[in-house]
Amino acid sequence: MAKRKNISAAQAWEQALTSVSRLLQKFDSNMQDKAGVSVIWYDVLLHLHHAPEKKMRMQMLSKSLVLTRSGVTRLVDRIEKAGLVRREAAVEDRRGYYAILTDEGEEALAEAQEVHRKDIRTHFGARLDKAEQQAVFNLMSKLRFED
Amino acid sequence: MAKRKNISAAQAWEQALTSVSRLLQKFDSNMQDKAGVSVIWYDVLLHLHHAPEKKMRMQMLSKSLVLTRSGVTRLVDRIEKAGLVRREAAVEDRRGYYAILTDEGEEALAEAQEVHRKDIRTHFGARLDKAEQQAVFNLMSKLRFED
DNA sequence: CGTGAATGTTTGCAATGTCAATAGTTGTCA
DNA sequence: TGACAACTATTGACATTGCAAACATTCACG
């Protein structure tokens, strides 16, 4: 790895923020253009896809989302209107609702995923070798935090 | 560094996105609470601060911003209304305008920066040693791209 | 020059996001 | 039981964003 002059924590953070943010914007517009789904929708669909029975309580979903923790009611409203998700009252707690991935939602997700994988390959995978990718994962894991 | 099982490019990206996004949300709410300025405003103020004569053409500013590339006219409207920035017609091109950092804007920036530096120290600096910070910088630089 | 394409910024309007207030439900504990 | 706090999700009111259209100015070139 090339030697460079010493960097401050702020500069490192700045660089991470900028790169991630720009990449995300790129991924988003690509996904929107080619699969008709924004990364925010993708975020929702993916979480549901991985959830048991492909369903999640609104609150759980809201806490899991990476982008946007608020406005989930309306976000789900919109995705529901597009038919990619449906709602179902929770039998065990009548205050609650589940958001459930529909078959149509699965399909949309698959399509989005295809676009996304290609983007990751060309913009991320192609610029970092395996060891570097591993390093990114490890370093970023250390920064992870829940709230 | 601890040994872990092999990770895919997608997982590494996912981790980077999640950590950066969560940290940013934290930084934003802290800055908002303690300095009355969002990271988006901070982004604007900081860019102006670093620009020659602390002024930038709208378009240049818009392209430099890390978060949000659109809606800059209105964003500047709001910041202007708060007195942290002012506009001035460009003499050399009468289509253009400069956004200029005011003294009040400098002050707000300084305050925000103080909050931000502390946040970076506790959430970023404290979790990664110098070498790791350097690694983050180097790796993220490789992902950088302009459009 | 004069005319049309290109550039820089703002505006109108619809879509999206935020936050506090509300409605309905559950849980606790005397 | 019954009263009150805590929880879940939605709603209303309002702020912010996104995008195409409009404006004003400059540029290119016959």
Side-chain angles (χ1 to χ4, degrees), chain A residues 14-146:
Chain A
E14 197 77 9
Q15 189 64 247
L17 177 60
T18 306
S19 298
V20 167
S21 170
R22 291 265 148 89
L23 272 182
L24 181 63
Q25 285 169 34
K26 183 75 176 169
F27 291 170
D28 187 35
S29 71
N30 270 165
M31 193 180 289
Q32 188 66 263
D33 292 350
K34 298 180 191 168
V37 165
S38 69
V39 294
I40 292 185
W41 285 34
Y42 177 78
D43 197 3
V44 172
L45 299 179
L46 192 60
H47 277 280
L48 290 178
H49 176 76
H50 286 133
E53 303 184 62
K54 308 200 186 269
K55 70 185 191 181
M56 257 194 235
R57 289 288 293 274
M58 294 302 283
Q59 196 152 137
M60 193 45 169
L61 178 59
S62 152
K63 272 188 283 213
S64 317
L65 293 180
V66 174
L67 322 143
T68 315
R69 295 148 119 359
S70 101
V72 175
T73 292
R74 270 152 174 150
L75 176 55
V76 169
D77 282 351
R78 271 173 264 135
I79 305 180
E80 186 174 29
K81 184 144 38 181
L84 309 188
V85 148
R86 65 192 170 79
R87 257 183 260 241
E88 196 167 277
V91 291
E92 76 281 12
D93 179 348
R94 294 196 325 194
R95 288 168 300 186
Y97 278 89
Y98 284 102
I100 310 181
L101 192 58
T102 63
D103 293 347
E104 220 184 318
E106 277 301 358
E107 286 174 35
L109 175 59
E111 209 179 326
Q113 228 158 4
E114 199 174 325
V115 174
H116 199 226
R117 277 201 255 267
K118 185 189 276 186
D119 268 345
I120 289 178
R121 224 178 299 124
T122 60
H123 296 295
F124 188 92
R127 299 193 202 186
L128 301 179
D129 64 31
K130 265 297 164 204
E132 289 171 329
Q133 291 173 25
Q134 182 75 47
V136 166
F137 182 86
N138 293 156
L139 290 165
M140 290 299 154
S141 296
K142 291 196 171 192
L143 293 178
R144 178 136 219 176
F145 81 55
E146 331 292 336

Side-chain angles (χ1 to χ4, degrees), chain B residues 36-83:
Chain B
V37 165
S38 69
V39 293
I40 292 185
W41 285 32
Y42 177 78
D43 197 5
V44 172
L45 299 179
L46 193 59
H47 277 279
L48 291 178
H49 176 75
H50 285 134
E53 302 184 64
K54 304 191 189 280
K55 71 184 190 182
M56 258 194 235
R57 290 288 294 273
M58 294 301 284
Q59 196 151 143
M60 193 42 167
L61 178 58
S62 151
K63 272 188 281 215
S64 319
L65 292 181
V66 174
L67 322 144
T68 315
R69 292 150 120 0
S70 100
V72 176
T73 292
R74 270 146 175 155
L75 176 57
V76 169
D77 282 351
R78 272 172 264 135
I79 305 180
E80 186 174 30
K81 184 142 40 179

